[in-house]
Amino acid sequence: FTREDQGALEAMAAQAGLAIQNVRMYAELKQHYEDLKQIKGFVGAHSALEWMRMVSTNWGHGIKREVGQALISVDLARMAYQKGESQKMLKELEDLETIIKGIGKIPITAPLSDEDAFSKVQINQLVQGYLQIRWKTAMYKLVEMKTDLQPDLDDQVTVKASEEWLRRGLEILVENAVQAMFNAKSDPKRLTVGSRLVNNKVEITISDSGPGIPKEILEQVEQGRPIDKPSGSRGAGVGLALAKLIFEVCQGSLKVLETGKTGT
């Protein structure tokens, strides 16, 4: 083969590889939905379309988060180049390479029907572990974070659910709150996460000092769907609708107790 032939074949192989990956991904999503239908309370409550949206949206959120980190590395590498700091630039390029390789490995996370897919989750441990990791990043350090966790909660009860999905639901709510406070330039920026045992059920509470949730978004989220905006656009309630669906699949619920100009 000539170099031109080789280039054409490599391009075709890349497209074929992408097509095969998409087919496998679709098959995996379809199988996850069939498995999920066996979970008590799922059938009739959510359609196949809603389930596919839940999984694909979650997958897309994970990719967007990594892309954001990649763009930060690009900016830092560019600044290092302009200052002639070659070692620092190489370090940022290495970080960028790691992030890019990691994007291709982001899995499709899905709750399964098998009992082994669920675990006895300690809620306080889950919340504290997530917050400790998240508050190491630069933007989150600018937000005052408080916890109001029931001290003996993990000793009293555990929640039988998918730990990974519960963490994802918590992550969406915290990210939304923090982003809202920054977009509205709220001052002070304060987030409080609490937990308590009420009537044999565990409640996780999240309070922020943001601008509140707009009425039209709140109404649509309560109906279980985002408002009619371009797919993935900010302010469409996509994250809240996804979090609501996650908690409902885990036999829970998502409620907005109070929202207004002083917070949610």
Side-chain angles (χ1 to χ4, degrees):
F1 296 105
T2 64
R3 286 186 178 274
E4 289 74 16
D5 292 333
Q6 183 178 345
L9 286 169
E10 286 177 350
M12 184 175 67
Q15 291 298 318
L18 183 61
I20 292 170
Q21 185 179 24
N22 288 339
V23 170
R24 286 175 175 169
M25 192 178 301
Y26 174 78
E28 186 177 351
L29 281 170
K30 187 176 179 181
Q31 183 58 50
H32 284 325
Y33 174 68
E34 293 300 320
D35 290 337
L36 189 65
K37 286 197 300 185
Q38 305 303 316
I39 297 178
K40 181 181 178 182
F42 181 80
V43 177
H46 305 289
S47 67
L49 182 61
E50 288 174 321
W51 163 235
M52 296 287 272
R53 185 188 72 195
M54 171 183 173
V55 176
S56 61
T57 302
N58 180 63
W59 189 58
H61 268 260
I63 290 177
K64 288 177 182 178
R65 182 176 61 247
E66 295 304 310
V67 168
Q69 293 296 322
L71 291 174
I72 291 174
S73 290
V74 169
D75 285 340
L76 292 174
R78 185 182 291 116
M79 290 170 60
Y81 171 75
Q82 292 171 348
K83 294 178 180 179
E85 299 173 345
S86 58
Q87 290 299 319
K88 188 174 181 180
M89 183 181 71
L90 288 174
K91 173 64 170 59
E92 294 301 333
L93 290 175
E94 288 174 1
D95 291 345
L96 178 60
E97 182 181 21
T98 301
I99 293 170
I100 291 173
K101 288 180 178 178
I103 289 175
K105 297 178 181 179
I106 294 177
I108 295 175
T109 305
L112 304 175
S113 62
D114 190 275
E115 290 295 317
D116 293 337
F118 298 92
S119 60
K120 294 181 178 180
V121 183
Q122 293 181 309
I123 293 300
N124 280 0
Q125 182 177 327
L126 175 73
V127 170
Q128 289 173 325
Y130 165 71
L131 294 177
Q132 285 174 3
I133 293 173
R134 182 54 65 197
W135 255 257
K136 289 180 180 178
T137 58
M139 185 174 78
Y140 284 77
K141 287 180 179 179
L142 299 176
V143 176
E144 179 187 355
M145 189 267 289
K146 294 184 177 181
T147 57
D148 183 22
L149 306 176
Q150 182 174 320
D152 58 347
L153 182 64
D154 288 350
D155 296 328
Q156 291 191 51
V157 293
T158 56
V159 173
K160 188 178 182 184
S162 165
E163 182 173 352
E164 197 163 354
W165 274 114
L166 282 181
R167 184 183 296 108
R168 181 63 183 129
L170 173 66
E171 180 180 52
I172 289 172
L173 297 181
V174 171
E175 284 182 353
N176 271 21
V178 170
Q179 195 65 53
M181 287 187 283
F182 273 96
N183 289 346
K185 298 181 180 179
S186 300
D187 192 25
K189 297 176 177 62
R190 183 185 300 114
L191 188 85
T192 304
V193 182
S195 68
R196 60 178 181 163
L197 183 62
V198 182
N199 298 326
N200 207 34
K201 292 183 178 181
V202 173
E203 288 186 356
I204 302 174
T205 58
I206 299 175
S207 303
D208 66 59
S209 59
I213 303 174
K215 183 180 178 181
E216 66 273 16
I217 292 181
L218 190 59
E219 290 175 350
Q220 295 288 4
V221 169
E222 288 174 348
Q223 296 173 21
R225 60 191 178 89
I227 64 176
D228 186 18
K229 281 189 176 184
S231 178
S233 63
R234 285 198 176 277
V238 175
L240 289 177
L242 174 59
K244 182 176 187 291
L245 189 53
I246 288 173
F247 295 132
E248 287 177 354
V249 169
C250 293
Q251 303 299 301
S253 62
L254 173 63
K255 297 179 181 178
V256 178
L257 302 180
E258 183 181 345
T259 186
K261 294 181 179 179
T262 58
T264 300

